[in-house]
Amino acid sequence: MDPGVKYIEIPAHLSKPAGTPGSRLLEIERAKASFSSDDLTLYLHGKEHLERVKRILPVLENEPAFDKSRIHFMSRTDKFKAGLAKEKRLAQLLTELDWSAKDHALAEDMLDWPAAFGLHNRWRLPRHGPRPVRSKRNEEQAPEQLETDRTFFAGSYRSMFLKTLAEQSNEEQLKLFYEPAKNFEIIGCYAQTELGHGSNVQGLETIAVYQPESKTFKLQSPSLTAMKWWIGGLGRTADHAVVMAQLHTPDGRDGKLVKRGPYPFVVPLRDVKTRELLPGRTIMDIGPKAGYAMTDNGAMLLDNVEIPHINFLARWAKVDIETGKFEKPVNARLSYGTMTYIRANIVQQARMVLARSATIAIRYCAVRRQFADRDAPVLDGNKPAETQVLNYQLVQHRIFPPLVQAFACHYTGKEMFRLYEENQTAMADGDFSRLADVHASSSGLKSLCTIMASGAIEECRRACGGHGFSLSGGLASFYADYLPQVTWEGDSYMLTQQVGRYLFKTFRVLLADRDAPMSSENRTRDYILRYISDPEAKASAKYAGDLADPEFFIQAFGHRAAYLTATALRKRDIERRTWNSLLIDIFRMSVAHSQFVLVYNFARAIKTDKDLQSQPALLRIMTTCFELFATYTMDSEAAEFLSSGYISPKQHELLRNRVHALLADLRPQAVPLVDSWGIPDYQLNSALGRYDGDVYPAIVRFAQAEPLNKTRFNVNIHETELEVGPEMGQSKGSKL
Amino acid sequence: MDPGVKYIEIPAHLSKPAGTPGSRLLEIERAKASFSSDDLTLYLHGKEHLERVKRILPVLENEPAFDKSRIHFMSRTDKFKAGLAKEKRLAQLLTELDWSAKDHALAEDMLDWPAAFGLHNRWRLPRHGPRPVRSKRNEEQAPEQLETDRTFFAGSYRSMFLKTLAEQSNEEQLKLFYEPAKNFEIIGCYAQTELGHGSNVQGLETIAVYQPESKTFKLQSPSLTAMKWWIGGLGRTADHAVVMAQLHTPDGRDGKLVKRGPYPFVVPLRDVKTRELLPGRTIMDIGPKAGYAMTDNGAMLLDNVEIPHINFLARWAKVDIETGKFEKPVNARLSYGTMTYIRANIVQQARMVLARSATIAIRYCAVRRQFADRDAPVLDGNKPAETQVLNYQLVQHRIFPPLVQAFACHYTGKEMFRLYEENQTAMADGDFSRLADVHASSSGLKSLCTIMASGAIEECRRACGGHGFSLSGGLASFYADYLPQVTWEGDSYMLTQQVGRYLFKTFRVLLADRDAPMSSENRTRDYILRYISDPEAKASAKYAGDLADPEFFIQAFGHRAAYLTATALRKRDIERRTWNSLLIDIFRMSVAHSQFVLVYNFARAIKTDKDLQSQPALLRIMTTCFELFATYTMDSEAAEFLSSGYISPKQHELLRNRVHALLADLRPQAVPLVDSWGIPDYQLNSALGRYDGDVYPAIVRFAQAEPLNKTRFNVNIHETELEVGPEMGQSKGSKL
């Protein structure tokens, strides 16, 4: 955020902002802290992570290929090239500095430049890679080293390519494809989505037919809508692809072709040396998007392309090379584990998206002043002419929720990884009892958290006023780059049906038998049982103090989720309504269930987290954050709590007043709290959110680097020439 | 949306999408219409407008300078140049084709390229220009021609520049500044906002001191935060500016300087011939933003700049040339009229933003198919493998509301112009009784409609799935360009305080005296009086049929607005709470009041609009749209209706079910309804929203034009070279 080139000089005597400097304002804010920001940072991120930041960040900041100051001034073509250069340099550093997968993941986070080597580098593992469950019957024994490699992709570029190769290759294929891919000898992409087929994998058109006579698969795109589309890295970069295609094998009755569903194939695209396209491949970049300018999302038609038998990834499913006889994989449910894992990552990522948005908005609103406020606090002994924007209650109501939502996502993300681990271990032992709950919650949370986080970026951007619209602010481009999260990995609206199915099923089971066997730790069962035993339950809160009990919110959010499920289930099972006519109800059920999970995990941390219990100052501030999260969320969704009769209008009033009081409580802690997330300026890349508060000079430096400022333009409407010549600058003032 | 250049050819036999073509799908949709789209178009826009479109649109479509096909592939610099070329050509056409202000306004609408000659070209008048009210005492007589000119800026580039010159110049200044500006001999901008001062005009830092000895004003930026910032057209284009500066005159006691507040000055910036910057001006473009790439928003420091006495715009306020004695303008309230007018324009614009978003999403969702649905309708005698996305209830719930909100804004926009006219006339006669209500409603509506419209663009974009993220879809860039509306002309969050003040005041007055004099047509008074006479009123609806009465919603929304006002007023007047601690309550009051106005005007049209009464098919469909608008809005805000006790949980259930039923009712009419808005493909500029439904080939053509596709890239991580050479294309398929 400090562009090197300056075309226009600012007169030295005019280079200081008026009034109390931003740096001083933030200093005052930080002095108000009721806790140690450093302690909270350590609590949130852990020592290992902080040491890693200390080691990795300076490397990035000093690497010319990773200089962020010019990026917003580049054309798409130049951005793509900068991205490619970044990918290459990062790949070199991995070896040069012997970076681990976690180091790499952190570097990608700080850089924040999703680029040519992988659209999917945001889906990664902060602590441990996913562990593919091995079917005991079907598994060839792999060496230990491989097991490590199979988890390596997590923090990596090309992750879906490597991931699929690692998870779906047999031993021979690992050597043939995975090893060279890992060493950057081949560059790959993962080609699933088609022009006319997004969410519905079963609907893919691309066909792969096995031909025993030539021992080859023939791949064909049957139409324009079969064109592979949106594929990250396919446009200009990849020379290989894992292509998902409808497998057809000639082992039906009388040797007829049988459709076997979508399976992965390794398809070479370009000559690795000359980079020329191989025959039958029509490939292109799909053009500019709202964000992701560095990534060459690509399109591809395959026309009569033949690949050898070995290119069908055969770790789980198999096609006999001689006869073409198909052997299906053992347990389809295994893949749900990976999905859960990816979604846990999305929730963990949402936490940082929320924190980053809040950091920028809260710091800038502490520096920015607008309008006089009679009640505004005195600064350095003087009454300021204008008040800090952060003092406005309405501003607090817009930008404090993202801050406390970040903490909510923090605890739930942690819990999701724990459940993922537990479930993977259980599944490896043949125990699938946790799967449904873990899968449903992860679907609902993916939906809720991506919608919440994207909304928060934009709300924080607006709260920055006009300057939020400039790319110097760092939020507008961040929003554009984050948006795909709402759509991919299960569209966040359609995905809620997974939650609906699970809640209906669980409710039906428990309605029939309250002692139906389920995994011991199942909060969904708990709240449904509570509801079934007392559907007319009412909240007992009478005083503001009653809202200090975390249990109040666990009960309330549980009751609401169960109430919505019961209401929709009645329509489904008694009124026999169509599934489609319940989609809105189901969406609301999913939101309610997911908010319950967020509230539950946050509340549990407040009550039982040992690190927190041993640090009173942290416990105090986390408790305030929890209370704001719980009351704000409940107030935002008040209609459903009122409609079920669970709370009265009077209790709603109590709740709303409590939200307002908590905003005021949190006000002096807002800057120290965002500091605690420890997001470095290099990552924020924002003139508004700078740690030092020197906002206005940074905005001006950004403008000074705009290339347009090099040129004088011709505005005479009778002349078509657009340029006059170079800008000559300006001298010191004088008379007109 | 049909880029001319194609770098990559699609094999001819693969150029057809699978399944029923989009064109056929839309044909089927259109055949379902229960009304004539053409009749509705005529009803909405009027004959004059449609004939204008017929005349102007072909000119734009055939003008090379207005070709939209390449724009998304350009760098910022090239976009700026394309914008400048567009401005010049448009200025020529104005003369060549003798276009009226309305023709010009329409052309800007269709082009949708806010560019170098004026950030403010969206604020314009569809029917008539604002009529500055003349103070009878203070006005020099202007010739008739001038009065026309004073309204001319409405449909124009540089509108705030011309507008200020037209409204604030005396006769001499009109000749000196306005005439050459109008004829493009000088190009101007309007410089008010400063780096550190957005909303608060009184807080501006820039100083203008009158010096009687030299008969000049000296302008000075005292600090970096005084830098003029965000000024449309200032960065590279303008050679003159109207600068708002704090006037200081030497007519205090003992000849001391007295601060008189912000006033407009004409400041030359560049030599009109050489385009060189004049001394003392530091000027630059502020760099890239989320949108508005064609516009050179600029920054400027003034250092010891002197301008002659005549450059102070002196139609209303005056500074004596000899003594420097200041004479203040007569009636400050007059300017509220203009604000009302601008805000009425913003509401009228929001209507088209909503309609345009809905058009793209609804047409594309009628063409796009995802997943099988057992209940999906049969098409052309065949059961389709996947169902139209438009059939999903949850999708309808996301994209039908913008459609019906567009109609709501249509009626309220019309009403705002009527009230504006009426109020201007009354004010000219010294009657200011309408002003407060008109001003408050226009503030609240500006806030609500911009937040609603910006949200709708993004919701519609997401409903387009992955393709919504591509710039080919037309919504992502539209969103970015629309966003400033939320922030400028009164930040849509802070602005609600205007409504709060008015509602508090009105409530207090009526509480003290129910017969207090107000303008006869004051709906605010009506709903407050109803509330005061029966604060415990309850909705009477028992059956779905009861929700068919428009009066039900007028009563309900009025009661809610009054209830929120009463609740907040109690905190203010009895609990003596600070204004700041009520900002959230006040925001909610503003939303409630503005939604009441939208519901009221829509309901009144349904009940009394003569054009509608005479066309039963139109009346029928508009009634359905009204019902969906009213029930959906009420359901979205249900917490407040429940909390006041106005509706019961059971009535809420009734309401929600009615929303779902209305979505299903509207489903077959959705495509004909968006067609009725008559937005041409040229304006939509969307591969997804094309009238003909040929979506997929259009998306592919967009990709084919991406310049990156001309080059092969070097991905070898050990080589720094990024390019290999030109892309060689591909041949027909063959064996690997």
Side-chain angles (χ1 to χ4, degrees):
Chain A
M1 191 39 49
D2 201 346
V5 195
K6 295 179 190 172
Y7 303 114
I8 311 271
E9 290 294 325
I10 300 291
H13 64 291
L14 298 181
S15 63
K16 286 233 161 18
T20 314
S23 54
R24 175 75 190 121
L25 288 165
L26 291 193
E27 202 175 88
I28 295 169
E29 293 295 332
R30 286 173 179 133
K32 295 178 195 162
S34 70
F35 63 97
S36 152
S37 277
D38 288 344
D39 289 352
L40 185 51
T41 308
L42 186 63
Y43 169 73
L44 288 170
H45 294 303
K47 199 173 159 192
E48 186 195 326
H49 175 85
L50 297 179
E51 282 173 358
R52 179 169 288 117
V53 173
K54 224 183 241 170
R55 182 162 46 82
I56 304 288
L57 185 60
V59 178
L60 304 176
E61 288 177 325
N62 294 311
E63 174 59 51
F66 305 156
D67 173 17
K68 294 187 182 179
S69 68
R70 304 293 310 143
I71 204 72
H72 287 309
F73 303 95
M74 290 181 184
S75 68
R76 161 102 210 277
T77 299
D78 289 337
K79 281 184 188 165
F80 171 74
K81 287 184 190 170
L84 185 55
K86 164 241 163 185
E87 298 291 36
K88 289 185 176 196
R89 185 65 192 123
L90 199 55
Q92 290 167 0
L93 284 174
L94 289 182
T95 322
E96 280 176 27
L97 301 178
D98 194 24
W99 276 356
S100 68
K102 286 187 207 173
D103 294 342
H104 188 181
L106 183 93
E108 291 280 14
D109 244 356
M110 298 283 150
L111 258 164
D112 199 24
W113 280 2
F117 280 6
L119 183 65
H120 305 264
N121 61 1
R122 283 159 182 268
W123 302 341
R124 78 178 67 84
L125 186 60
R127 288 161 201 280
H128 35 61
R131 196 161 53 190
V133 179
R134 303 187 187 201
S135 150
K136 275 159 192 172
R137 192 167 68 79
N138 201 30
E139 168 85 346
E140 300 152 52
Q141 198 50 42
E144 263 322 286
Q145 172 56 26
L146 174 63
E147 191 56 16
T148 315
D149 282 353
R150 286 202 204 261
T151 69
F152 166 74
F153 68 85
S156 180
Y157 45 89
R158 302 167 300 166
S159 59
M160 282 298 284
F161 179 65
L162 281 179
K163 171 174 143 64
T164 311
L165 290 180
E167 285 187 352
Q168 312 254 350
S169 294
N170 62 28
E171 286 306 299
E172 189 184 353
Q173 290 168 332
L174 282 172
K175 289 194 191 79
L176 196 61
F177 304 124
Y178 178 72
E179 287 296 329
K182 194 185 121 193
N183 299 326
F184 298 93
E185 290 155 23
I186 62 175
I187 303 292
C189 62
Y190 177 79
Q192 176 173 307
T193 304
E194 295 175 357
L195 181 57
H197 310 274
S199 314
N200 185 8
V201 182
Q202 296 305 320
L204 292 177
E205 288 185 54
T206 306
I207 289 166
V209 178
Y210 188 60
Q211 310 172 125
E213 56 279 16
S214 57
K215 300 188 169 52
T216 59
F217 291 91
K218 191 163 85 178
L219 276 82
Q220 180 69 42
S221 314
S223 77
L224 191 70
T225 37
M227 200 168 193
K228 290 297 175 185
W229 203 269
W230 280 113
I231 314 306
L234 168 63
R236 298 285 89 195
T237 309
D239 39 54
H240 283 71
V242 165
V243 172
M244 291 297 284
Q246 301 284 2
L247 171 65
H248 289 69
T249 53
D251 52 351
R253 198 182 297 181
D254 306 327
K256 270 200 178 146
L257 282 178
V258 184
K259 185 176 168 183
R260 300 296 186 178
Y263 284 93
F265 301 82
V266 177
V267 180
L269 309 178
R270 293 175 181 272
D271 182 293
V272 172
K273 289 230 168 62
T274 67
R275 299 284 296 160
E276 272 180 47
L277 281 169
L278 296 173
R281 285 83 167 163
T282 302
I283 292 178
M284 57 182 121
D285 180 276
I286 62 165
K289 299 139 288 185
Y292 272 77
M294 285 182 171
T295 301
D296 53 325
N297 295 86
M300 174 169 66
L301 283 169
L302 295 171
D303 190 17
N304 202 20
V305 167
E306 294 193 27
I307 56 172
H309 177 267
I310 189 71
N311 286 30
F312 169 70
L313 291 180
R315 188 185 184 195
W316 308 108
K318 304 196 194 302
V319 174
D320 187 273
I321 190 164
E322 300 297 338
T323 62
K325 196 169 148 28
F326 177 72
E327 190 186 323
K328 68 177 181 182
V330 180
N331 197 330
R333 281 191 291 180
L334 294 175
S335 65
Y336 283 99
T338 304
M339 268 198 266
T340 306
Y341 174 78
I342 289 176
R343 287 170 188 165
N345 265 310
I346 290 179
V347 173
Q348 277 292 57
Q349 186 199 350
R351 158 191 88 137
M352 294 313 290
V353 171
L354 290 157
R356 184 167 156 185
S357 307
T359 300
I360 293 173
I362 286 175
R363 285 190 188 148
Y364 176 54
C365 288
V367 171
R368 182 183 178 208
R369 282 151 292 170
Q370 287 279 307
F371 293 104
D373 176 6
R374 281 173 306 172
D375 314 314
V378 167
L379 279 177
D380 288 344
N382 294 313
K383 194 84 185 168
E386 296 187 294
T387 187
Q388 288 168 289
V389 171
L390 197 60
N391 292 334
Y392 290 112
Q393 187 199 38
L394 188 60
V395 170
Q396 296 164 5
H397 197 247
R398 295 164 66 201
I399 66 179
F400 288 179
L403 173 60
V404 294
Q405 286 159 355
F407 290 108
C409 289
H410 171 75
Y411 290 113
T412 286
K414 268 176 78 168
E415 176 64 7
M416 283 172 83
F417 282 118
R418 193 188 68 76
L419 289 174
Y420 164 78
E421 283 294 327
E422 192 182 87
N423 180 47
Q424 291 296 95
T425 309
M427 287 203 300
D429 295 334
D431 171 7
F432 288 86
S433 66
R434 290 162 183 80
L435 181 59
D437 192 65
V438 169
H439 176 66
S441 292
S442 76
S443 300
L445 286 163
K446 186 273 175 186
S447 165
L448 177 68
C449 293
T450 54
I451 293 173
M452 186 164 79
S454 56
I457 306 174
E458 174 60 10
E459 195 64 46
C460 288
R461 190 198 65 72
R462 290 185 190 186
C464 292
H467 294 318
F469 190 60
S470 164
L471 295 191
S472 69
L475 285 170
S477 54
F478 184 40
Y479 182 67
D481 281 342
Y482 183 71
L483 281 179
Q485 297 285 357
V486 179
T487 304
W488 69 25
E489 266 306 304
D491 175 272
S492 290
Y493 301 87
M494 299 311 275
L495 189 58
T496 53
Q497 295 178 72
Q498 311 276 352
V499 189
R501 273 188 207 100
Y502 169 69
L503 291 180
F504 278 169
K505 199 174 154 189
T506 309
F507 206 106
R508 282 192 197 109
V509 165
L510 292 170
L511 214 50
D513 173 10
R514 295 186 188 197
D515 299 316
M518 290 184 182
S519 75
S520 55
E521 239 196 307
N522 188 318
R523 308 298 163 201
T524 313
R525 179 193 54 191
D526 297 350
Y527 75 63
I528 292 179
L529 279 181
R530 265 202 313 273
Y531 179 85
I532 290 178
S533 64
D534 184 10
E536 305 294 324
K538 304 246 176 291
S540 58
K542 272 177 91 170
Y543 301 97
D546 293 330
L547 300 177
D549 179 16
E551 196 58 38
F552 170 82
F553 296 100
I554 293 174
Q555 300 287 334
F557 279 87
H559 185 274
R560 165 193 174 222
Y563 161 76
L564 291 178
T565 305
T567 309
L569 192 63
R570 200 179 319 120
K571 295 186 193 170
R572 180 72 177 156
D573 287 356
I574 296 172
E575 299 175 25
R576 293 281 157 198
R577 297 260 290 268
T578 63
W579 182 260
N580 188 34
S581 75
L582 296 174
L583 288 183
I584 299 167
D585 290 336
I586 287 167
F587 181 82
R588 296 303 315 163
M589 282 159 57
S590 175
V591 170
H593 174 76
S594 307
Q595 287 176 339
F596 165 80
V597 174
L598 288 174
V599 165
Y600 180 85
N601 289 324
F602 204 160
R604 201 178 55 170
I606 297 297
K607 291 194 296 182
T608 67
D609 187 294
K610 278 181 193 155
D611 277 2
L612 219 44
Q613 305 301 327
S614 64
Q615 302 181 76
L618 297 193
L619 179 60
R620 185 71 209 83
I621 188 70
M622 277 304 97
T623 303
T624 306
C625 289
F626 167 75
E627 287 183 45
L628 180 58
F629 174 74
T631 52
Y632 174 86
T633 307
M634 196 162 167
D635 178 40
S636 308
E637 309 284 3
E640 287 166 0
F641 292 95
L642 287 160
S643 226
S644 70
Y646 188 78
I647 65 169
S648 66
K650 204 160 177 172
Q651 287 170 320
H652 180 212
E653 178 77 11
L654 198 67
L655 194 69
R656 187 162 274 197
N657 287 337
R658 186 76 191 123
V659 172
H660 300 183
L662 285 162
L663 292 174
D665 281 1
L666 211 61
R667 163 64 189 87
Q669 305 306 321
V671 170
L673 273 172
V674 297
D675 286 351
S676 306
W677 284 104
I679 307 174
D681 281 351
Y682 178 78
Q683 187 178 5
L684 285 179
N685 199 25
S686 164
L688 306 180
R690 299 166 62 91
Y691 184 84
D692 67 8
D694 276 340
V695 165
Y696 295 113
I699 299 176
V700 175
R701 282 198 297 276
F702 182 85
Q704 285 178 292
E706 165 60 51
L708 275 178
N709 290 323
K710 283 191 289 194
T711 310
R712 274 179 300 149
F713 289 92
N714 175 357
V715 301
N716 186 321
I717 67 160
H718 306 294
E719 296 169 5
T720 49
E721 198 62 54
L722 294 177
E723 301 186 11
V724 178
E727 182 62 274
M728 307 304 285
Q730 66 298 311
S731 59
K732 288 290 166 68
S734 85
K735 213 177 146 180
L736 177 74
Chain B
M1 190 39 49
D2 201 345
V5 195
K6 294 179 192 173
Y7 303 114
I8 310 272
E9 290 293 326
I10 300 291
H13 64 291
L14 298 181
S15 63
K16 286 233 161 17
T20 314
S23 54
R24 176 73 191 122
L25 287 164
L26 290 193
E27 201 176 271
I28 295 169
E29 293 295 332
R30 287 172 179 134
K32 294 178 195 163
S34 71
F35 63 97
S36 153
S37 277
D38 288 344
D39 288 352
L40 185 50
T41 308
L42 186 63
Y43 169 73
L44 288 169
H45 295 302
K47 201 174 157 190
E48 187 195 326
H49 175 84
L50 298 179
E51 282 172 359
R52 180 169 287 117
V53 174
K54 226 183 240 170
R55 182 162 46 82
I56 304 288
L57 185 59
V59 178
L60 304 175
E61 288 176 325
N62 294 310
E63 175 58 50
F66 305 156
D67 173 17
K68 295 187 182 177
S69 69
R70 307 290 312 142
I71 204 72
H72 288 308
F73 303 96
M74 289 181 185
S75 69
R76 161 102 210 277
T77 299
D78 289 337
K79 280 183 187 165
F80 171 74
K81 288 185 189 169
L84 185 55
K86 164 239 162 188
E87 299 290 36
K88 289 186 176 197
R89 184 66 192 123
L90 199 55
Q92 291 168 0
L93 284 174
L94 289 182
T95 322
E96 281 177 26
L97 302 177
D98 195 24
W99 276 356
S100 70
K102 285 189 208 173
D103 294 342
H104 187 181
L106 183 92
E108 291 280 14
D109 243 356
M110 298 282 150
L111 257 164
D112 197 24
W113 280 0
F117 280 6
L119 184 65
H120 306 264
N121 60 0
R122 283 160 182 267
W123 302 341
R124 78 177 67 83
L125 186 59
R127 287 161 203 281
H128 35 60
R131 195 162 53 192
V133 179
R134 302 183 187 205
S135 151
K136 275 159 192 172
R137 192 169 66 79
N138 200 31
E139 168 82 349
E140 300 152 54
Q141 198 51 43
E144 263 320 289
Q145 171 55 27
L146 174 63
E147 190 57 16
T148 315
D149 282 353
R150 285 202 205 260
T151 69
F152 166 76
F153 68 84
S156 180
Y157 45 90
R158 303 168 297 166
S159 58
M160 283 297 285
F161 179 65
L162 282 178
K163 171 175 144 62
T164 312
L165 291 181
E167 285 189 352
Q168 313 254 349
S169 294
N170 61 26
E171 286 307 296
E172 189 183 353
Q173 291 169 331
L174 282 172
K175 290 195 191 78
L176 196 60
F177 305 124
Y178 178 71
E179 287 296 328
K182 196 186 121 192
N183 299 325
F184 299 93
E185 289 155 24
I186 63 174
I187 302 293
C189 62
Y190 177 78
Q192 176 174 305
T193 305
E194 296 175 356
L195 181 56
H197 310 273
S199 314
N200 185 8
V201 182
Q202 296 305 321
L204 292 178
E205 288 185 55
T206 305
I207 289 167
V209 177
Y210 187 62
Q211 310 173 126
E213 56 281 15
S214 57
K215 300 189 171 49
T216 59
F217 292 92
K218 189 164 87 180
L219 275 81
Q220 179 69 42
S221 315
S223 76
L224 192 71
T225 37
M227 199 168 194
K228 291 294 175 186
W229 203 270
W230 280 113
I231 314 306
L234 169 62
R236 297 286 91 194
T237 308
D239 39 54
H240 283 70
V242 165
V243 172
M244 291 298 284
Q246 300 284 2
L247 171 65
H248 289 68
T249 54
D251 51 352
R253 198 182 299 180
D254 305 328
K256 271 199 180 149
L257 282 178
V258 184
K259 185 176 168 184
R260 299 297 186 178
Y263 285 92
F265 300 82
V266 176
V267 180
L269 310 178
R270 293 175 179 272
D271 183 294
V272 172
K273 288 230 168 63
T274 67
R275 299 283 297 158
E276 272 180 49
L277 281 169
L278 297 173
R281 286 80 166 165
T282 303
I283 292 179
M284 57 181 124
D285 180 278
I286 63 165
K289 299 139 290 186
Y292 272 75
M294 283 182 172
T295 301
D296 53 326
N297 296 85
M300 174 168 67
L301 283 169
L302 295 172
D303 191 17
N304 203 20
V305 167
E306 293 191 28
I307 55 172
H309 178 266
I310 188 69
N311 286 29
F312 169 69
L313 292 179
R315 188 185 183 195
W316 309 108
K318 303 194 194 305
V319 173
D320 187 89
I321 190 162
E322 301 298 338
T323 62
K325 195 170 147 31
F326 177 72
E327 189 187 323
K328 68 176 182 184
V330 180
N331 197 329
R333 280 191 291 180
L334 293 174
S335 65
Y336 283 100
T338 305
M339 269 198 265
T340 306
Y341 174 77
I342 289 176
R343 288 171 188 164
N345 264 311
I346 290 179
V347 173
Q348 276 293 55
Q349 185 199 350
R351 158 192 88 138
M352 293 312 291
V353 170
L354 291 157
R356 183 167 156 185
S357 306
T359 300
I360 293 174
I362 286 174
R363 285 190 187 149
Y364 175 54
C365 288
V367 170
R368 182 184 178 208
R369 282 152 291 171
Q370 289 277 308
F371 293 104
D373 175 5
R374 279 172 307 171
D375 314 315
V378 167
L379 279 178
D380 287 344
N382 294 313
K383 194 83 184 168
E386 298 187 292
T387 186
Q388 288 169 288
V389 171
L390 196 61
N391 293 333
Y392 290 112
Q393 187 200 38
L394 187 59
V395 169
Q396 295 164 5
H397 196 247
R398 296 164 64 200
I399 66 179
F400 288 179
L403 173 61
V404 295
Q405 285 160 355
F407 290 107
C409 289
H410 170 76
Y411 291 112
T412 285
K414 268 176 76 168
E415 176 64 7
M416 283 171 83
F417 283 117
R418 194 187 67 76
L419 289 174
Y420 163 79
E421 283 295 326
E422 193 181 86
N423 180 47
Q424 291 295 98
T425 310
M427 288 202 300
D429 295 336
D431 171 8
F432 287 86
S433 66
R434 290 162 184 81
L435 181 59
D437 192 65
V438 168
H439 176 65
S441 293
S442 76
S443 301
L445 287 163
K446 186 275 175 184
S447 166
L448 177 68
C449 292
T450 54
I451 293 174
M452 186 164 79
S454 56
I457 306 174
E458 174 60 10
E459 195 64 47
C460 287
R461 190 197 65 72
R462 290 185 190 186
C464 292
H467 294 318
F469 190 60
S470 166
L471 295 190
S472 69
L475 285 170
S477 53
F478 184 39
Y479 182 68
D481 280 342
Y482 183 71
L483 282 179
Q485 297 284 359
V486 179
T487 304
W488 69 26
E489 266 307 304
D491 175 274
S492 291
Y493 301 86
M494 300 310 276
L495 190 58
T496 54
Q497 295 177 71
Q498 311 276 353
V499 190
R501 272 187 209 102
Y502 170 68
L503 291 180
F504 278 170
K505 197 173 154 189
T506 310
F507 205 106
R508 284 191 197 108
V509 166
L510 292 171
L511 214 49
D513 173 10
R514 294 187 189 196
D515 299 316
M518 292 185 180
S519 76
S520 56
E521 240 196 306
N522 187 318
R523 307 300 161 199
T524 312
R525 179 194 54 191
D526 297 350
Y527 75 63
I528 291 178
L529 280 181
R530 265 203 312 275
Y531 179 86
I532 289 177
S533 65
D534 183 11
E536 305 294 324
K538 306 246 177 290
S540 59
K542 273 177 91 170
Y543 301 96
D546 292 331
L547 301 176
D549 178 16
E551 196 56 40
F552 170 82
F553 296 100
I554 293 174
Q555 300 287 335
F557 279 88
H559 185 274
R560 165 195 174 220
Y563 162 75
L564 291 178
T565 305
T567 309
L569 191 62
R570 199 179 319 121
K571 295 185 195 171
R572 181 71 177 156
D573 286 357
I574 296 173
E575 301 175 24
R576 293 281 159 199
R577 297 260 290 269
T578 64
W579 182 259
N580 187 34
S581 75
L582 296 174
L583 288 183
I584 299 167
D585 289 336
I586 287 167
F587 181 82
R588 296 303 316 162
M589 283 159 57
S590 174
V591 170
H593 173 76
S594 308
Q595 286 175 339
F596 165 80
V597 174
L598 288 175
V599 165
Y600 179 86
N601 289 325
F602 204 159
R604 201 176 57 168
I606 297 298
K607 291 195 295 183
T608 66
D609 187 294
K610 278 182 192 155
D611 278 2
L612 219 44
Q613 305 301 326
S614 65
Q615 303 182 76
L618 297 193
L619 180 60
R620 185 72 210 81
I621 189 70
M622 277 304 97
T623 303
T624 306
C625 288
F626 167 75
E627 288 184 43
L628 181 59
F629 174 74
T631 53
Y632 173 86
T633 307
M634 196 163 166
D635 178 39
S636 307
E637 310 284 3
E640 288 166 0
F641 292 96
L642 286 160
S643 226
S644 70
Y646 189 77
I647 64 169
S648 67
K650 205 161 176 170
Q651 286 170 320
H652 180 213
E653 178 78 10
L654 198 67
L655 194 69
R656 186 161 276 197
N657 287 336
R658 186 75 191 123
V659 172
H660 300 184
L662 285 162
L663 292 174
D665 280 2
L666 210 61
R667 164 63 188 89
Q669 306 306 321
V671 170
L673 273 171
V674 297
D675 286 351
S676 305
W677 284 103
I679 306 174
D681 281 352
Y682 177 78
Q683 187 177 5
L684 285 179
N685 198 25
S686 165
L688 306 179
R690 298 166 62 90
Y691 184 84
D692 66 10
D694 277 339
V695 166
Y696 295 113
I699 299 176
V700 175
R701 282 196 297 275
F702 182 84
Q704 285 177 292
E706 165 59 51
L708 275 179
N709 289 322
K710 283 191 288 193
T711 310
R712 275 178 299 150
F713 289 92
N714 175 356
V715 300
N716 187 320
I717 67 160
H718 306 295
E719 296 170 6
T720 48
E721 197 62 52
L722 293 177
E723 300 187 12
V724 179
E727 183 61 275
M728 306 305 285
Q730 65 299 310
S731 57
K732 287 291 166 65
S734 82
K735 212 177 145 179
L736 177 76

